[in-house]
Amino acid sequence: MYINDKLDELLNAETIRRYSITYKHHVVFWVIYFAINTLRWGSVHDDFALSLKTNLIGFPIHIALAYFNIYFLMPKYVYTRKYVLYAFLMVACLFIMLLVKFNLTYYLIDTNVMPEGPGETDSITFNYAMTTMIGELYVVAFATAIKVTVDWLREHSKLHELEKRQLTTELKFLRSQVSPHFFFNTLNNVYSLTLEKSNKAPEVILKLSELMRYLLYATRKRKQDLKSEIDCIQNYIDLERIRFDDSLQIDIGISGDMENKTIAPMLLVPLIENCFKHGATKSIGEIHIAIDINVTDDYMYFNVSNTVPKKEVEGKVATRGGGIGLSNVKKRLELGYTPEDYELSIFEKDNMFHVNLKLKV
């Protein structure tokens, strides 16, 4: 829980840093906006002094109304879906702004409050009211659009990072799901071999150590060398051979160029484990498992099959397609590869259970 809290804290801090509006940004925005507006209206009136005066009066009103809308009206009424009340209050604010701007302009600058108009305007006419309120609304909308866009980018980035972290966590969990029963059984075998003072005991311990080292360290990477994955499979099979002794017949074929080929770690082991779990442990009599791995160009063709347990054949149990091992592999393929990168088929034929995987490596 502590680690998750820390991750959330770091994630939020990084996202806020990436898409945050500081005081410096506010100042720069309004200074640039003020300069452009002053130059614009100075050119229109051919009087930059008048433009400077009117903007000095108008911009504090712009700023106050923009921030009042962004930090009060929108959170309180728009985000809570009170749109009618929001519209009413916005119109009321624009009207109050109109009265304030008219009186400040009239008494501090010029009685002609609308010099760009067709004639002299010394009272609040309909044209003056509409022009001023729409102009004010334009400024407020522009500032609000910037704030909403930055907020959306921040939330979108945060959501993306959370999804990415969730996928990474899920993949790590799936990679770690090799049956603990395998290790218990192997340790029991080691115990029996040590009691018998068998020469096989040191070899079994060494192979188990290599397998555990691979599980601990290689699975931290997103991709692992294909050759290392196959070495892990061979160690796993060697350990299972000891467990089942002469009742187990395994045919293994490995071919192709594996140099510079990579694969998601522990992707194939659950498929091999599945053969022993559902084939070897449930069969009575001869057990046959066939494994063929071939690398051609950029693709690995992995085919594994095992004898269907006699109880399942006699009871006409449906083909196994939803075991934990197979579900694990399907989920990892979905999370770690694109649909174009792999083909997975699972079927039963001639009392043999088959899993065929074509994977881009």
Side-chain angles (χ1 to χ4, degrees):
M1 183 65 72
Y2 175 77
I3 294 175
N4 288 337
D5 290 342
K6 281 296 180 184
L7 285 172
D8 287 334
E9 182 181 331
L10 291 172
L11 175 62
N12 291 337
E14 176 63 26
T15 304
I16 290 170
R17 267 198 307 274
R18 190 181 307 165
Y19 296 111
S20 61
I21 302 177
T22 64
Y23 291 110
K24 180 175 68 176
H25 294 115
H26 287 273
V27 172
V28 170
F29 170 78
W30 288 113
V31 167
I32 293 175
Y33 201 161
F34 178 84
I36 292 173
N37 219 44
T38 300
L39 291 172
R40 174 195 173 197
W41 288 109
S43 300
V44 170
H45 300 145
D46 196 22
D47 189 343
F48 289 97
L50 175 64
S51 178
L52 178 63
K53 293 177 184 177
T54 55
N55 276 290
L56 283 173
I57 287 178
F59 257 77
I61 298 173
H62 296 334
I63 294 170
L65 187 56
Y67 286 138
F68 184 69
N69 176 63
I70 291 171
Y71 294 108
F72 179 76
L73 292 181
M74 290 190 66
K76 192 172 180 63
Y77 300 105
V78 175
Y79 298 161
T80 56
R81 301 176 183 272
K82 299 175 182 177
Y83 303 121
V84 175
L85 186 56
Y86 169 77
F88 173 78
L89 291 173
M90 175 55 68
V91 171
C93 289
L94 290 171
F95 184 73
I96 293 171
M97 170 277 306
L98 170 67
L99 295 177
V100 172
K101 186 174 183 179
F102 172 81
N103 284 284
L104 289 175
T105 304
Y106 186 87
Y107 290 107
L108 297 180
I109 299 177
D110 197 324
T111 54
N112 183 13
V113 294
M114 193 177 177
E116 68 273 16
E120 184 171 334
T121 304
D122 57 1
S123 60
I124 300 178
T125 64
F126 179 78
N127 286 338
Y128 173 76
M130 292 303 298
T131 301
T132 304
M133 292 176 71
I134 290 175
E136 196 70 35
L137 188 61
Y138 166 79
V139 176
V140 172
F142 184 56
T144 302
I146 294 175
K147 177 66 166 57
V148 170
T149 301
V150 172
D151 286 348
W152 181 86
L153 288 171
R154 183 190 296 125
E155 291 303 315
H156 181 73
S157 176
K158 182 178 178 181
L159 180 62
H160 176 73
E161 293 293 336
L162 285 172
E163 289 176 347
K164 183 178 177 181
R165 198 183 83 201
Q166 183 178 358
L167 287 177
T168 302
T169 302
E170 188 171 358
L171 278 170
K172 287 181 179 179
F173 172 72
L174 289 170
R175 287 201 296 260
S176 69
Q177 283 188 334
V178 175
S179 174
H181 297 293
F182 164 76
F183 289 105
F184 286 126
N185 290 328
T186 304
L187 289 172
N188 285 333
N189 290 335
V190 172
Y191 176 70
S192 299
L193 291 171
T194 55
L195 289 178
E196 296 171 5
K197 301 187 185 303
S198 171
N199 293 330
K200 293 182 179 179
E203 181 185 356
V204 172
I205 293 173
L206 180 61
K207 289 185 178 296
L208 182 62
S209 173
E210 290 174 355
L211 182 59
M212 293 185 71
R213 184 182 296 110
Y214 184 81
L215 288 173
L216 287 172
Y217 298 109
T219 54
R220 295 179 182 178
K221 302 176 183 178
R222 194 176 70 86
K223 293 289 181 69
Q224 178 60 278
D225 292 338
L226 179 58
K227 189 176 184 304
S228 298
E229 178 80 1
I230 292 175
D231 288 342
C232 174
I233 289 173
Q234 289 178 321
N235 282 331
Y236 182 93
I237 292 172
D238 289 341
L239 290 171
E240 290 286 19
R241 284 182 191 274
I242 297 170
R243 177 181 170 194
F244 291 98
D245 216 357
D246 296 332
S247 62
L248 180 62
Q249 179 187 348
I250 303 179
D251 296 328
I252 304 176
I254 301 173
S255 59
D257 182 15
M258 300 184 189
E259 291 297 323
N260 302 318
K261 299 294 190 292
T262 60
I263 189 173
M266 297 302 295
L267 181 66
L268 303 179
V269 173
L271 297 176
I272 303 296
E273 183 190 19
N274 205 60
C275 291
F276 290 96
K277 180 179 178 182
H278 295 285
T281 59
K282 294 182 180 180
S283 293
I284 300 174
E286 185 178 334
I287 307 160
H288 184 213
I289 294 175
I291 302 167
D292 182 71
I293 303 173
N294 174 260
V295 179
T296 303
D297 296 327
D298 293 331
Y299 283 91
M300 177 197 69
Y301 298 86
F302 176 85
N303 305 311
V304 60
S305 59
N306 63 270
T307 306
V308 175
K310 290 184 178 180
K311 289 182 180 180
E312 290 191 8
V313 174
E314 293 167 0
K316 298 181 180 179
V317 177
T319 300
R320 289 175 288 108
I324 293 176
L326 295 178
S327 298
N328 180 312
V329 172
K330 289 178 182 177
K331 188 68 173 176
R332 289 190 58 198
L333 286 171
E334 291 173 6
L335 294 175
Y337 293 89
T338 64
E340 296 77 22
D341 288 341
Y342 70 93
E343 292 177 12
L344 177 66
S345 60
I346 302 167
F347 60 95
E348 186 178 319
K349 182 180 180 181
D350 299 330
N351 295 334
M352 294 290 290
F353 187 76
H354 301 267
V355 177
N356 298 336
L357 173 64
K358 175 185 175 183
L359 182 70
K360 187 174 184 179
V361 292

